[in-house]
Amino acid sequence: MQTTRTYTTVFILLLVATVAVWFLNISLGSVNIPFMEVLGVLFSSEAGNDSWTYIIMEYRIPKAFTSVLAGSGLAVSGMLMQTMFRNPLAGPYVLGLSSGASLGVALVLMGATMFGGVAASVLFSEWGLVIASSLGSLLVLLAVMLASVRLKDTMAILIIGLMFASLTSALVSVLAYFSPAAQLQQYVFWSYGSVGDLSWNELGILSFFWFLGIGIALFSIKNLNSLLLGEQYARSLGMNISRNRALLIISTSLLAGSITAFAGPIAFVGLAVPHLIRQVIPVNDHRILLPAVVLGGAILMLLCDIVAQLPGSEHTLPINAITSLVGAPVVIWLLVRKRKFLF
């Protein structure tokens, strides 16, 4: 009873923290907008400063929601991979999805001469990078899924994912070597990641894939708990290992693949948040872990975005760098303090 009350208290604190950091995120930026004016735009029907209203409604709120979706989605997909492979170093991109997306974008930005006609007009449109990133992730996903059907050893799938990541990274390196400086710079900027470039329509599409991926993860909670004691134990309980493995791969692909397509590759969050949450809530029950990881990922991403946008400055730092600079010392400190992985 005491334990249940403790978990409830932690969830309430995480939820309050998420809401507080969300409001803080939309209140800070390169343009100084008083907090009461922000609340007025959100909750009042009276039109205030038109410029402030536009900045808040068309840029800051979509950016904050993107941070929530990206942080929570990557955190959940990282937790799924860590449980599936029983490896604390597994993350959402361990299957090579990020590398596949990077290859798709590299082909568009640095291999422009390979395309022509209708293909070029599509790839160089507003949705070109999203389409290319999605196709790259999809091709790697299909290859991994085919391998998972033929292989019974989960660790072999992990190795295959790493090999696909190495292969696609090598192809990107070849393209980069022969690319002009301007095209290479475009690709480098994309690789930094960004949560501030999505329109409301793009945010709606990302939300659809987020809910789909989270829904599959929720459906798999019972099987995730069984996997904690090993595949043999899970099989003895009647679990279909191949089917469950496919569901986890699909859920991770929907979450990590869609986030990479719309926000670029974002490091660290998926790897670290599950460990951070396990330090706060020392339990491996995914019925408790999954919602806590969703909130923890959202909080970390919102905080990193606040740091990245350098409030009061016209400059914005790469979100991909900030997630590691801000989060890595915290994880190191917690793990040294606890002296163990709770996994």
Side-chain angles (χ1 to χ4, degrees):
M1 187 67 180
Q2 184 66 31
T3 303
T4 303
R5 188 178 297 114
T6 301
Y7 292 155
T8 303
T9 302
V10 172
F11 278 126
I12 292 174
L13 291 175
L14 286 173
L15 186 58
V16 171
T18 303
V19 175
V21 176
W22 188 86
F23 276 105
L24 181 64
N25 185 281
I26 65 172
S27 302
L28 298 175
S30 58
V31 178
N32 183 25
I33 303 177
F35 183 69
M36 295 307 298
E37 293 292 336
V38 174
L39 294 180
V41 171
L42 292 175
F43 300 110
S44 175
S45 58
E46 298 180 4
N49 187 304
D50 291 338
S51 298
W52 288 352
T53 300
Y54 180 83
I55 291 172
I56 293 171
M57 299 302 297
E58 298 300 326
Y59 179 72
R60 291 190 181 179
I61 291 181
K63 180 168 64 66
F65 277 126
T66 303
S67 297
V68 170
L69 295 177
S72 57
L74 291 175
V76 169
S77 56
M79 181 195 70
L80 296 180
M81 292 295 95
Q82 288 170 10
T83 301
M84 174 177 164
F85 293 114
R86 294 182 52 79
N87 187 335
L89 297 179
Y93 299 133
V94 73
L95 298 176
L97 298 174
S98 176
S99 298
S102 298
L103 178 59
V105 172
L107 286 172
V108 171
L109 295 179
M110 298 187 292
T113 56
M114 297 173 59
F115 303 101
V118 177
S121 64
V122 172
L123 291 173
F124 290 100
S125 66
E126 179 184 356
W127 290 79
L129 294 185
V130 173
I131 294 172
S133 177
S134 301
L135 288 175
S137 295
L138 179 62
L139 290 175
V140 173
L141 168 62
L142 292 176
V144 173
M145 289 293 292
L146 288 174
S148 68
V149 172
R150 297 179 61 88
L151 296 173
K152 295 183 179 180
D153 186 2
T154 302
M155 293 308 297
I157 299 175
L158 173 60
I159 295 173
I160 287 176
L162 294 174
M163 292 304 101
F164 275 119
S166 298
L167 177 62
T168 52
S169 297
L171 293 174
V172 170
S173 298
V174 172
L175 286 172
Y177 182 80
F178 289 104
S179 295
Q183 294 177 354
L184 182 58
Q185 186 180 47
Q186 281 184 292
Y187 175 77
V188 170
F189 281 142
W190 176 84
S191 68
Y192 286 157
S194 174
V195 293
D197 297 331
L198 270 67
S199 65
W200 283 107
N201 289 335
E202 292 171 324
L203 187 58
I205 296 173
L206 178 59
S207 300
F208 171 77
F209 286 107
W210 185 90
F211 279 110
L212 197 57
I214 294 295
I216 296 174
L218 288 170
F219 178 78
S220 305
I221 280 182
K222 182 178 179 180
N223 291 336
L224 286 168
N225 287 337
S226 300
L227 283 174
L228 291 173
L229 296 176
E231 289 189 357
Q232 293 299 327
Y233 175 79
R235 190 176 284 108
S236 69
L237 294 178
M239 188 178 82
N240 188 322
I241 298 296
S242 298
R243 176 174 172 270
N244 181 69
R245 184 191 295 160
L247 286 175
L248 297 182
I249 292 175
I250 291 172
S251 177
T252 299
S253 301
L254 288 171
L255 292 170
S258 61
I259 291 167
T260 304
F262 284 98
I266 298 176
F268 180 80
V269 176
L271 173 63
V273 170
H275 294 306
L276 288 171
I277 293 300
R278 287 188 178 99
Q279 303 298 326
V280 177
I281 307 178
V283 65
N284 277 324
D285 188 345
H286 288 81
R287 292 173 298 178
I288 299 171
L289 270 180
L290 195 147
V293 164
V294 167
L295 295 175
I299 292 170
L300 179 63
M301 198 66 188
L302 285 167
L303 289 173
C304 288
D305 181 53
I306 291 173
V307 176
Q309 65 192 3
L310 296 175
S313 170
E314 61 181 7
H315 300 289
T316 301
L317 297 176
I319 190 68
N320 212 350
I322 299 303
T323 51
S324 296
L325 287 174
V326 171
V330 176
V331 175
I332 292 171
W333 176 75
L334 281 171
L335 293 178
V336 170
R337 179 168 159 265
K338 292 286 185 178
R339 297 178 182 272
K340 63 178 181 178
F341 284 103
L342 290 172
F343 182 75

